[in-house]
């Protein structure tokens, strides 16, 4: 009996090791998450690391993925410079489209082409964040099929959802957390996760797999 248990334990250990090795050397999941979060295209061009350029090219052709990516890019850009952008809008009456040094204009343009209208007249900056959060919440489930079925989708989708993000108070809390811990966010892209020094969770599939299941 003990011998059987020991052999079973050894086989299980070997199986786990094989699984770990496999996910340590694959980048499909992290590449998909990176694309949706809006990680810059140049990061995908590093042939010796992750994320992978072929995943970027494939998802760029998918409208549902492209919409989430552009929304997340825009949200991060606003969060990075919220105070400065808000000041320009409040005192200089500037709109998002007039600040290309701070706002990814291409993201807004692509969203318009995909029939998602972001720019509004006389809208407060915080309301842009709330509108973006609402659009992400409404559309993130359209990206479920880009991931393996065995992944915990309900947990994974939360990465893209700002907590209490449909209220001004919730956006303020999220903005403060992000601003104080930017270096702990993968590629400094906003995502909903506890910002601690855990390394880059988008390094490989093993890293993010351990985080979401």
């Amino acid at each position: 009996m003990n011998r059987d248990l020991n052999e079973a334990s050894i086989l299980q250990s070997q199986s786990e090791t094989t699984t770990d090795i496999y996910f340590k050397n694959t980048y499909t999941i992290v590449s998909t998450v990176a694309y949706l979060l809006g990680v810059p295209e140049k990061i995908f061009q590093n042939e010796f690391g992750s994320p992978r350029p072929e995943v970027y090219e494939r998802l760029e052709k998918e409208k549902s993925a492209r919409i989430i990516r552009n929304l997340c890019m825009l949200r991060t850009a606003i969060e990075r410079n919220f105070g400065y952008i808000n000041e320009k809008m409040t005192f200089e009456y500037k709109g998002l489209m007039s600040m290309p040094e701070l706002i990814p204009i291409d993201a807004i343009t692509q969203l318009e082409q995909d029939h998602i209208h972001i720019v509004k007249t006389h809208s407060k900056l915080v309301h842009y964040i709330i509108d973006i959060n609402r659009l992400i919440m409404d559309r993130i489930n359209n990206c479920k099929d880009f991931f393996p079925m065995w992944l915990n989708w309900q947990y994974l989708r939360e990465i893209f959802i700002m907590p209490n993000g449909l209220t001004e108070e919730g956006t303020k809390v999220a903005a403060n957390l992000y601003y104080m811990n930017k270096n702990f966010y993968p590629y400094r892209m906003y995502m909903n996760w506890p910002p601690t020094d855990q390394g880059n969770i988008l390094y490989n599939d093993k890293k993010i797999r351990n985080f979401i299941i």
Side-chain angles (χ1 to χ4, degrees):
M1 177 67 72
N2 288 338
R3 180 181 177 182
D4 290 341
L5 288 173
N6 288 337
E7 289 179 351
S9 177
I10 291 172
L11 288 173
Q12 182 180 7
S13 176
Q14 290 175 340
S15 175
E16 290 172 348
T17 301
T18 301
T19 301
D20 286 344
I21 291 173
Y22 172 78
F23 283 109
K24 189 176 182 179
N25 291 281
T26 58
Y27 308 93
T28 304
I29 300 169
V30 291
S31 297
T32 304
V33 172
Y35 177 87
L36 295 175
L37 285 174
V39 170
E41 181 181 359
K42 65 182 180 180
I43 302 297
F44 288 79
Q45 304 307 317
N46 181 3
E47 61 179 313
F48 299 109
S50 65
R52 308 305 302 151
E54 60 270 19
V55 175
Y56 180 96
E57 293 168 5
R58 174 171 58 84
L59 292 178
E60 189 71 2
K61 300 173 184 177
E62 300 284 349
K63 179 179 177 180
S64 57
R66 194 169 60 240
I67 286 173
I68 293 297
R69 172 176 173 80
N70 285 320
L71 289 170
C72 286
M73 285 176 62
L74 189 55
R75 180 171 64 182
T76 292
I78 294 173
E79 294 289 8
R80 283 177 179 170
N81 298 282
F82 187 93
Y84 186 69
I85 296 171
N86 193 52
E87 185 177 289
K88 291 284 186 181
M89 292 178 67
T90 302
F91 299 107
E92 298 181 25
Y93 305 105
K94 286 196 171 187
L96 293 186
M97 296 294 285
S98 66
M99 292 181 273
E101 72 281 8
L102 300 172
I103 299 296
I105 304 301
D106 287 348
I108 297 177
T109 302
Q110 276 197 329
L111 286 166
E112 292 284 341
Q113 292 171 350
D114 287 328
H115 308 293
I116 304 295
H117 305 293
I118 294 296
V119 177
K120 298 176 176 61
T121 305
H122 306 305
S123 182
K124 293 173 62 177
L125 188 57
V126 67
H127 292 160
Y128 275 109
I129 292 291
I130 291 173
D131 286 347
I132 290 170
N133 286 338
R134 182 179 291 107
L135 286 165
I136 291 174
M137 289 178 65
D138 290 345
R139 292 175 174 272
I140 188 60
N141 283 343
N142 295 337
C143 297
K144 180 179 180 179
D145 290 342
F146 298 132
F147 295 94
M149 291 183 63
W150 52 263
L151 275 181
N152 185 337
W153 172 247
Q154 289 305 312
Y155 199 103
L156 179 60
R157 75 183 294 276
E158 292 302 311
I159 286 177
F160 302 92
I161 307 299
M162 181 180 289
N164 202 20
L166 301 184
T167 68
E168 292 192 18
E169 181 60 28
T171 63
K172 182 178 180 180
V173 170
N176 289 338
L177 183 65
Y178 171 76
Y179 193 79
M180 296 295 294
N181 299 277
K182 279 190 291 189
N183 290 336
F184 294 145
Y185 287 79
Y187 306 107
R188 293 195 172 188
M189 303 305 297
Y190 174 80
M191 59 186 289
N192 175 23
W193 86 307
T196 55
D197 190 5
Q198 300 182 41
N200 183 3
I201 68 164
L202 300 183
Y203 181 71
N204 57 33
D205 285 352
K206 178 178 183 294
K207 190 86 172 177
I208 197 169
R209 173 178 171 267
N210 292 341
F211 178 74
I212 62 178
I213 63 174

